[in-house]
Amino acid sequence: MARSLPEPSEPGIWSDAWLVKAVESGIVDAPHFSEAQLQPASADLTLGDTAYRLRCSFLPGKNDTVENQVRSFVVGPAIPLDDGAILERNRPYLIRLRESLQLPGRVRARANPKSSTGRLDVFTRVITDRSGKFDDIRAGYRGPLYLEVVPRSFAVMVRTGLALNQLRLMKGDTQVSDAEIRAVHRREPILYRNGQAADRRDVYAHGGLWLSLDLMKRDDDPVGYRAKRNSSLVDLSAVGAHEPGDFWETVVPETGNRVVLEPEDFYLLLSAEGVRVPPQYAAEMTAFDPAGGEVRTHYAGFFDPGFGHDPTGLFSQGSRAALEIRAHDVPFAVDHLQRVCTLRFERMAGEPTSLYGTERGSHYQGQLSTLSKHFRAGNRPDQLTFSRLAAGAAGRRAATPAASEPIERTERTERTEPTKPPDEEQPRLGTL
């Protein structure tokens, strides 16, 4: 049983310091815990020593445990992970995680895939006993954690101790209102376009901060990638070891700044905006699922405090977001600056001791490529495209007088479509 823990006095997401206390007290039972698992507002969860091949996904429901239910769905023998094992495409697997929870009655948790996991089109969801939901862990839960893993585009190699997803602890009302998002941007910008703070009229906050796609046609320069079918194995423990061209085709927009998504293919594209998450906030990318169901980017993702943030305050243009997108049923066209996802901000229960970025060895601060850390950095065509754009934006900033307020619209910046009332909105997809 967990020992008593002084909880944060304020509602919000628990910072790294509180997560350490949670581990020390047994609220998060993590016998193999290391500093490498810690992020500013989340902790990595690690794979146990056995995987089970399933014939289908499932939830135990409110009256049963995962261990009891899984017996009906296991196909074949257990798969040991100590020396590594291959998980095949489009097959669900269940792996008990090495961590478990002993949550106090007012503390709940939420899990999400790590960014590198989503960029590889590996679908993961946490399952808990006596629950009818994935990833949301009820307040007061005491028990084991299981991870459903479904590789979609590539077969992958996994091992005991590998982290594919992450956990946040929270209590009380953490949600930040749309009005507060706009107010924060007016005080200290959180959204950037072309390297400059976005005009407040381009900050569309409705159920979160909306982001759009960068699909501007620039000669034959690529703007993202499409996963190749029937490609080689990705070793999820091998960073910088895979050649991008063996796994990905580049995506070049059509004339008219448009990309037509082929059904069931997996795409990696980049947001047109840079985002900054201040130290007192965390954020979560949520997918937009249109009523017609044509397109969905189905991986939500955590954004830790400090994402796109410059602690010195001397320079910031945010960091772009990688958007993972798949069309369903029919080919579907997406356009430049089409809004595709929302970034939901949540307040922290105290600022973290370190921010996202180099302090934590993070891989995607200031990213100009959508590929995950597993691919070699020297041969990424989209990075060449967006690096040239960043250099041009830096030159424009150098020629522009400094200002404390977000810039007004000028001919140098790409204009978004006029803000429309919510019932006229027409984003056709979802995100990260």
Side-chain angles (χ1 to χ4, degrees):
M1 181 177 293
R3 298 188 296 274
S4 61
L5 172 73
E7 299 174 15
S9 58
E10 300 294 327
I13 306 291
W14 288 26
S15 68
D16 51 0
W18 285 106
L19 290 172
V20 169
K21 292 180 181 180
V23 172
E24 292 173 346
S25 69
I27 282 181
V28 177
D29 184 3
H32 303 280
F33 188 80
S34 71
E35 181 75 14
Q37 290 177 247
L38 200 62
Q39 295 296 330
S42 59
D44 291 349
L45 299 174
T46 56
L47 301 182
D49 55 10
T50 306
Y52 296 92
R53 186 183 295 106
L54 304 179
R55 61 186 176 92
C56 63
S57 178
F58 73 97
L59 283 167
K62 64 179 182 179
N63 296 318
D64 209 347
T65 65
V66 175
E67 185 175 356
N68 286 339
Q69 284 281 316
V70 74
R71 296 169 185 167
S72 303
F73 306 114
V74 170
V75 177
I79 304 170
L81 300 182
D82 288 341
D83 296 322
I86 295 174
L87 307 185
E88 300 291 347
R89 293 174 54 210
N90 296 317
R91 167 69 67 180
Y93 297 84
L94 188 72
I95 304 171
R96 180 166 176 168
L97 297 169
R98 297 198 294 184
E99 296 77 19
S100 60
L101 296 179
Q102 301 285 327
L103 297 180
R106 296 190 299 172
V107 179
R108 66 189 187 280
R110 187 163 64 248
N112 246 325
K114 289 175 65 67
S115 182
S116 297
T117 305
R119 294 170 193 236
L120 284 169
D121 200 17
V122 178
F123 187 51
T124 68
R125 301 186 288 192
V126 165
I127 306 175
T128 54
D129 290 341
R130 298 179 175 86
S131 174
K133 293 182 177 181
F134 294 105
D135 288 334
D136 286 330
I137 303 169
R138 66 182 181 274
Y141 176 76
R142 298 187 174 207
L145 301 173
Y146 300 85
L147 189 66
E148 179 189 52
V149 182
V150 187
R152 298 294 309 274
S153 291
F154 314 114
V156 297
M157 172 80 77
V158 300
R159 293 175 175 81
T160 300
L162 183 69
L164 298 183
N165 69 324
Q166 51 199 160
L167 183 80
R168 280 183 174 170
L169 299 181
M170 64 203 72
K171 76 169 191 176
D173 182 10
T174 64
Q175 190 69 39
V176 174
S177 69
D178 294 335
E180 185 174 344
I181 290 174
R182 298 185 194 100
V184 170
H185 182 75
R186 286 195 297 269
R187 293 194 307 268
E188 192 176 1
I190 58 175
L191 191 70
Y192 296 81
R193 177 73 62 76
N194 297 331
Q196 297 179 326
D199 179 84
R200 62 181 179 274
R201 292 169 292 180
D202 291 331
V203 179
Y204 184 77
H206 182 73
L209 182 66
W210 282 82
L211 301 181
S212 63
L213 289 168
D214 188 335
L215 299 181
M216 175 67 73
K217 183 170 179 60
R218 306 171 181 96
D219 298 324
D220 291 325
D221 291 344
V223 296
Y225 299 93
R226 179 172 69 174
K228 290 184 175 180
R229 299 186 180 186
N230 305 309
S231 57
S232 301
L233 177 74
V234 178
D235 185 343
L236 298 187
S237 299
V239 175
H242 303 82
E243 184 60 41
D246 293 341
F247 298 87
W248 302 95
E249 299 172 354
T250 56
V251 174
V252 177
E254 299 178 353
T255 300
N257 305 322
R258 174 180 295 129
V259 168
V260 176
L261 307 175
E262 294 297 329
E264 304 307 327
D265 282 356
F266 179 72
Y267 293 81
L268 287 174
L269 301 171
L270 207 60
S271 69
E273 299 83 8
V275 173
R276 185 183 69 87
V277 181
Q280 64 271 34
Y281 296 99
E284 182 177 356
M285 190 74 79
T286 57
F288 178 77
D289 194 8
E294 297 93 342
V295 180
R296 178 178 170 83
T297 52
H298 57 276
Y299 301 113
F302 290 154
F303 284 60
D304 277 316
F307 180 86
H309 174 75
D310 173 24
T312 68
L314 299 176
F315 166 75
S316 179
Q317 57 178 325
S319 290
R320 297 204 195 195
L323 307 179
E324 302 142 7
I325 297 178
R326 173 177 276 111
H328 298 296
D329 302 328
V330 296
F332 191 79
V334 289
D335 295 312
H336 181 58
L337 297 184
Q338 184 166 338
R339 296 185 183 125
V340 293
C341 61
T342 55
L343 194 61
R344 184 180 65 190
F345 281 78
E346 297 179 283
R347 58 183 49 85
M348 295 290 296
E351 292 189 15
T353 60
S354 62
L355 299 176
Y356 183 91
T358 56
E359 292 177 84
R360 288 287 183 192
S362 309
H363 292 272
Y364 305 115
Q365 186 76 299
Q367 63 188 347
L368 295 172
S369 174
T370 56
L371 294 182
S372 75
K373 64 185 180 182
H374 304 90
F375 298 96
R376 295 192 178 100
N379 187 20
R380 298 186 175 192
D382 65 333
Q383 185 152 359
L384 297 176
T385 300
F386 295 114
S387 294
R388 287 195 294 270
L389 293 176
R396 290 193 296 272
R397 283 196 306 274
T400 302
S404 59
E405 294 295 322
I407 61 163
E408 297 300 320
R409 301 184 184 200
T410 71
E411 293 305 313
R412 291 191 300 272
T413 61
E414 299 172 27
R415 297 172 63 105
T416 62
E417 62 273 35
T419 299
K420 301 177 181 179
D423 60 346
E424 297 182 24
E425 268 310 304
Q426 50 178 2
R428 303 293 296 175
L429 25 159
T431 149
L432 219 244

